[in-house]
Amino acid sequence: MAGAGMLRPIVAILVLTGTAVSVRAQEINDYPTSARAEYVFGCMKANGESRQSIEQCSCSIDVVASIIPYDRYVTAETVLSMAQVRGNLGGQFRSSEQAANALNDLRRAQAEAEVRCF
């Protein structure tokens, strides 16, 4: 009977540890599936539409997601999109220090993904 009493704390620790791992995984995996799919689709358009490019592009978004949080990724993607707008509005996105920093973060993450995945 003493053995059964000893198992309760061990089981409790395992349950708590599993919960902590699950929460950490959710924090790391904060990119929605649609954002990951869009990235992979664009990456495949740029790198060929093959099975190999699916693997490489999927790896690439996983690396990017491990380096920069999703909100920073959205900021960089917005800057890229808005910087293409002509006129004063687009100019603000092209010249803003905050925009430049977000783009630099994304470019560094993509460079790391290039090294690891391609």
Side-chain angles (χ1 to χ4, degrees), residues 46-66:
N47 293 290
E49 297 176 357
S50 67
R51 179 70 189 154
Q52 182 180 4
S53 70
I54 291 172
E55 296 296 326
Q56 291 170 324
C57 294
S58 296
C59 172
S60 181
I61 189 59
D62 289 344
V63 171
V64 169
S66 75

Side-chain angles (χ1 to χ4, degrees), residues 1-10:
M1 287 309 242
M6 298 284 289
L7 286 177
R8 285 190 189 125
I10 293 171

Side-chain angles (χ1 to χ4, degrees), residues 29-41 61 70:
N29 188 17
D30 65 343
Y31 282 53
T33 302
S34 60
R36 289 177 181 266
E38 186 177 312
Y39 181 98
V40 170
F41 180 74
I61 189 59
Y70 181 65

